[in-house]
Amino acid sequence: MIPLRTRRSFLQTLAASALAGGLRAQDAAKLPPIRAITRGPRFHWFGYYDKFQFDPTGRFVLGNQVDFESRSPTPEDKIQVGMVDLEDGDKWIELGETHAWNWQQGCMLQWLPGSTSEVMWNDREGDHFVCRILDVKTGAKRTLPAPVYTVSPDGRWGLAPDFRRLNDCRPGYGYAGLPDPHRDALAPDDAGIWKIDMQTGESKLLITFAEIAAVPWEMEDGYGKNAKNWFNHLLFNQDGSRFIFLHRWRAEGEPISRFHTRMFTANADGSDRYVIDPSGFSSHFVWRDPGHVFLFTYHPSHQQRFYLFTDKTRTVEAIGPDVMTVNGHNTYLPGTQNEWVLNDTYADKANLQHIFLYHVPTGRRVPLADLESKPPYRGEWRCDTHPRSSRDGHWVCVDSSHNGGRQMYLIDLQGMI
C-alpha cells in the first residue's frame, strides 16, 4: 500500500519532473534538421502519439486545421481534417471536417490499420458521435454509427470509451455537443467501453463502469467518498489479443485537475481483466510487444519513472538512468527491434520542450529538438509535441507552438542512429 502522504508527495514530484532541466549547450549543434510542414494563418496539429499519422509510403502526413486557439471547443466549432503531401511542396489536401474534437487528441484522425489508403476520424451527427472512413485514392466514404478510439492491428475492430463522459470528467479529451446522460451517476452499469465492428458498425458494450468500480483498489482503503468513474486511453497490443484501458476516478470535492488512475489489461472480448498497474498514477504508455507494457508511473522500488511491465504478472523492470524519470509521450522507433525509444518532455523552467531518442541497451540519449512553449499554451489547450514517427522510422512529426501558433514540424532522423 502507498501511504496517502507518499502519494500526494508523488503528485508534487511528478509536477516538478515536468520542469526538469534541459540539454547541454554543446548538444544544440548536434540537433537534426527540422522544418515546418504547415503554416498560418490557420493553425495545425495532429494530436496523440499512438496512431498512424504517416501513410505507409511516408509521403502523406495527416493533420487537423483550425482558425482559433486558446479556448475550449464549443458544439458549434468545427475543424478541417487533411493531409500534407511531402513530395509536393507540403501541399495541404483537405479531406473533410468534424464537430467532434479536442485539443489533446484531435478527432482520432489516423490511417486505418491494415489499409494503405483509408483514413478515419470521429464526427458528430445529430444526437450521437460517429466515425468517418474515407479512401483517399478512390474517394469512397462510409460512416460507422459509433466513434472509435483505437483500432486492432488488422483494422477489424475498434474500441471506444464514452466520449460524452470524458468531456464532462476530463475536459480536453472528450467531445463537446452531447451531454453525458449519466452525469449524476458515479458508476453506470450501461456505459463504459464499446467494441465496434469496423466493417458493419455494429457495437457491443464490453466493460461497464459499475464492473470496474467494483474491483477493489489494493493501494488504499476504497476510492474515496462518492468517487466518479470514467475510462480513457485505450490501446490494442500488436497482435490484437489484448488491450489496455485506464480506469480513472475523482472523489467528491476534489478539483477537476486531481484524479486517480490505475491500468487494466483485458482480452479483446473484454474478458480476463487484470490490474497491471494499481498505483493510482498510470500515465503515458505503449505496448512493447503483445506481453509487455512500457509505462511511466509510480513504483515503490524506484519511485516515478518509466518501467517495463510484464502483463498478467507483478514483474516490473525500471528503464533507463535519470533521463527516464521525466514523464513524456513514449513510443518505440520502428525498425530498431525496440532498442530505441522516441520521447519528449513537458516544458521545463526555460519553457523548452525537449524531443529525444533514448537507446535502451546503453542508456544513450540523442537530442532531436528543443522547442519553446510559452503561455497561453497551458492546461486544456496546451500544445504537447506528441512525437510520431513514420513507419520506416526515418521521420518524426511533432506539434509545436514555438513559432507563434501551433503547427506541425518534420524532423529528419536519417543517419542519426
Side-chain angles (χ1 to χ4, degrees):
M1 177 182 294
I2 303 174
L4 182 59
R5 179 178 299 176
T6 301
R7 293 179 56 252
R8 285 175 177 166
S9 175
F10 170 74
L11 283 177
Q12 297 168 352
T13 306
L14 181 61
S17 75
L19 303 177
L23 302 173
R24 296 186 302 250
Q26 59 264 37
D27 288 331
K30 303 176 183 178
L31 298 179
I34 181 172
R35 66 181 176 88
I37 59 172
T38 59
R39 296 165 182 82
R42 293 186 174 182
F43 308 103
H44 303 82
W45 85 110
F46 180 72
Y48 233 43
Y49 60 101
D50 56 1
K51 307 187 186 319
F52 288 136
Q53 183 185 16
F54 291 78
D55 81 311
T57 71
R59 174 175 178 173
F60 298 103
V61 182
L62 296 174
N64 307 295
Q65 180 176 265
V66 68
D67 58 7
F68 70 90
E69 290 194 288
S70 301
R71 66 169 174 81
S72 301
T74 70
E76 292 73 35
D77 289 324
K78 67 179 180 180
I79 62 172
Q80 282 69 47
V81 297
M83 60 185 184
V84 176
D85 186 345
L86 299 180
E87 296 182 11
D88 189 11
D90 298 336
K91 178 182 177 182
W92 172 261
I93 302 171
E94 189 166 319
L95 300 176
E97 64 181 31
T98 177
H99 283 87
W101 63 280
N102 57 59
W103 289 114
Q104 292 309 301
Q105 299 180 315
C107 55
M108 298 299 175
L109 177 64
Q110 59 191 289
W111 295 93
L112 182 66
S115 171
T116 60
S117 59
E118 286 187 306
V119 172
M120 55 176 283
W121 68 89
N122 290 334
D123 197 358
R124 190 177 79 243
E125 190 173 274
D127 63 353
H128 63 288
F129 295 118
V130 299
C131 180
R132 312 289 191 193
I133 299 178
L134 169 69
D135 191 311
V136 300
K137 291 184 179 179
T138 68
K141 301 177 183 179
R142 54 193 176 98
T143 297
L144 304 181
V148 176
Y149 189 108
T150 187
V151 183
S152 60
D154 61 4
R156 186 71 176 84
W157 304 100
L159 295 170
D162 193 326
F163 285 102
R164 303 166 302 181
R165 193 170 185 84
L166 256 180
N167 195 59
D168 179 58
C169 294
R170 186 85 197 280
Y173 291 85
Y175 303 141
L178 299 177
D180 177 11
H182 304 292
R183 180 170 183 170
D184 297 326
L186 299 179
D189 61 4
D190 59 350
I193 295 174
W194 286 267
K195 188 175 183 179
I196 302 100
D197 187 313
M198 297 298 291
Q199 294 299 319
T200 68
E202 181 181 357
S203 62
K204 176 184 179 181
L205 183 60
L206 288 187
I207 300 173
T208 70
F209 295 113
E211 289 173 326
I212 297 305
V215 177
W217 186 32
E218 63 190 74
M219 308 312 292
E220 284 189 11
D221 185 16
Y223 296 98
K225 184 179 180 181
N226 294 331
K228 188 172 182 177
N229 298 262
W230 71 96
F231 300 140
N232 201 359
H233 300 310
L234 286 59
L235 186 64
F236 274 106
N237 66 2
Q238 285 87 341
D239 64 11
S241 61
R242 290 180 69 78
F243 68 91
I244 284 171
F245 65 95
L246 297 187
H247 169 217
R248 287 181 163 165
W249 66 94
R250 180 183 297 113
E252 183 180 38
E254 289 188 319
I256 195 75
S257 60
R258 180 175 171 80
F259 53 86
H260 312 273
T261 306
R262 58 180 179 169
M263 174 183 282
F264 281 76
T265 60
N267 284 341
D269 63 0
S271 66
D272 195 18
R273 302 160 193 171
Y274 182 76
V275 183
I276 189 171
D277 178 27
S279 68
F281 303 104
S282 308
S283 187
H284 302 114
F285 65 88
V286 68
W287 289 93
R288 188 192 71 175
D289 53 56
H292 294 86
V293 180
F294 183 31
L295 165 68
F296 189 92
T297 188
Y298 173 96
H299 193 272
S301 61
H302 294 282
Q303 305 301 311
Q304 79 279 3
R305 63 178 307 121
F306 279 99
Y307 295 91
L308 189 67
F309 285 71
T310 301
D311 193 16
K312 301 174 66 175
T313 76
R314 283 292 177 237
T315 302
V316 182
E317 175 188 352
I319 298 297
D322 291 344
V323 67
M324 296 304 281
T325 64
V326 178
N327 201 358
H329 304 93
N330 56 309
T331 57
Y332 287 97
L333 192 67
T336 66
Q337 292 72 53
N338 296 327
E339 288 191 357
W340 287 92
V341 173
L342 176 62
N343 203 3
D344 67 353
T345 71
Y346 291 103
D348 64 15
K349 293 180 180 179
N351 287 319
L352 293 178
Q353 296 168 296
H354 304 287
I355 305 159
F356 63 94
L357 291 170
Y358 174 74
H359 191 230
V360 177
T362 65
R364 177 188 173 199
R365 171 173 166 154
V366 178
L368 300 180
D370 308 317
L371 304 176
E372 190 172 19
S373 175
K374 291 182 177 179
Y377 294 95
R378 298 292 187 267
E380 178 187 340
W381 45 82
R382 67 189 181 276
C383 185
D384 296 342
T385 63
H386 290 150
R388 294 89 47 182
S389 66
S390 59
R391 304 196 203 189
D392 59 9
H394 291 171
W395 304 92
V396 169
C397 186
V398 299
D399 305 327
S400 178
S401 59
H402 72 276
N403 200 26
R406 74 183 70 211
Q407 300 293 347
M408 300 195 303
Y409 294 82
L410 196 66
I411 302 173
D412 186 353
L413 297 188
Q414 298 178 85
M416 290 283 300
I417 58 174

